[in-house]
Amino acid sequence: MLFEGYDTKEKAAVLSGAKLYVKREFAHRLEKDEVYTCDLIGLDVMYNAQKVASIIYIIEGGNVPFLEVMRNDGKHFIIPYQKHFLGDVDLVKGEIELLNLELLDL
């Protein structure tokens, strides 16, 4: 990827560590069952059709994003965004399925 005015590695070095924002129309096209991690913020975390928490922040880095969630009682927990911890995501309903309630110490 090239950015106007940063056509060499040396010029682009000043961008190292910077946050870059891309309009949705230019973002990577999603495959079936993929979501942009930023769209997870604000989703209700559901277990057996009951809201148990909400996603309040995404921690990027490493191999997998981590979701900071706030339980209904205000306590915060971190959940790895992996299929064996979290199930279906429904952006229309604003929900994500939690597969193991022990992750929230309940």
Side-chain angles (χ1 to χ4, degrees):
M1 177 180 283
L2 295 176
F3 295 97
E4 188 174 321
Y6 300 92
D7 53 356
T8 68
K9 185 177 178 180
E10 293 73 28
K11 288 181 182 177
V14 299
L15 298 175
S16 180
K19 289 186 179 184
L20 300 175
Y21 297 92
V22 177
K23 290 183 180 182
R24 287 281 169 113
E25 62 205 61
F26 301 114
H28 173 76
R29 294 198 190 275
L30 296 175
E31 298 291 327
K32 183 182 180 223
D33 297 328
E34 286 185 324
V35 296
Y36 295 112
T37 55
C38 63
D39 290 338
L40 299 174
I41 297 172
L43 293 186
D44 292 333
V45 179
M46 308 295 289
Y47 183 80
N48 287 339
Q50 298 287 329
K51 178 184 173 189
V52 293
S54 297
I55 298 172
I56 60 171
Y57 191 73
I58 307 296
I59 303 165
E60 298 281 355
N63 294 334
V64 60
F66 289 88
L67 310 180
E68 181 180 352
V69 302
M70 184 173 62
R71 241 176 28 189
N72 295 341
D73 64 4
K75 291 185 179 182
H76 292 226
F77 292 84
I78 304 295
I79 300 174
Y81 185 49
Q82 293 181 307
K83 63 183 177 182
H84 51 276
F85 297 124
L86 297 160
D88 294 334
V89 175
D90 187 330
L91 294 178
V92 175
K93 286 184 173 180
E95 299 176 349
I96 186 168
E97 179 186 18
L98 179 66
L99 300 177
N100 184 340
L101 197 56
E102 290 177 6
L103 292 168
L104 296 182
D105 200 29
L106 291 173

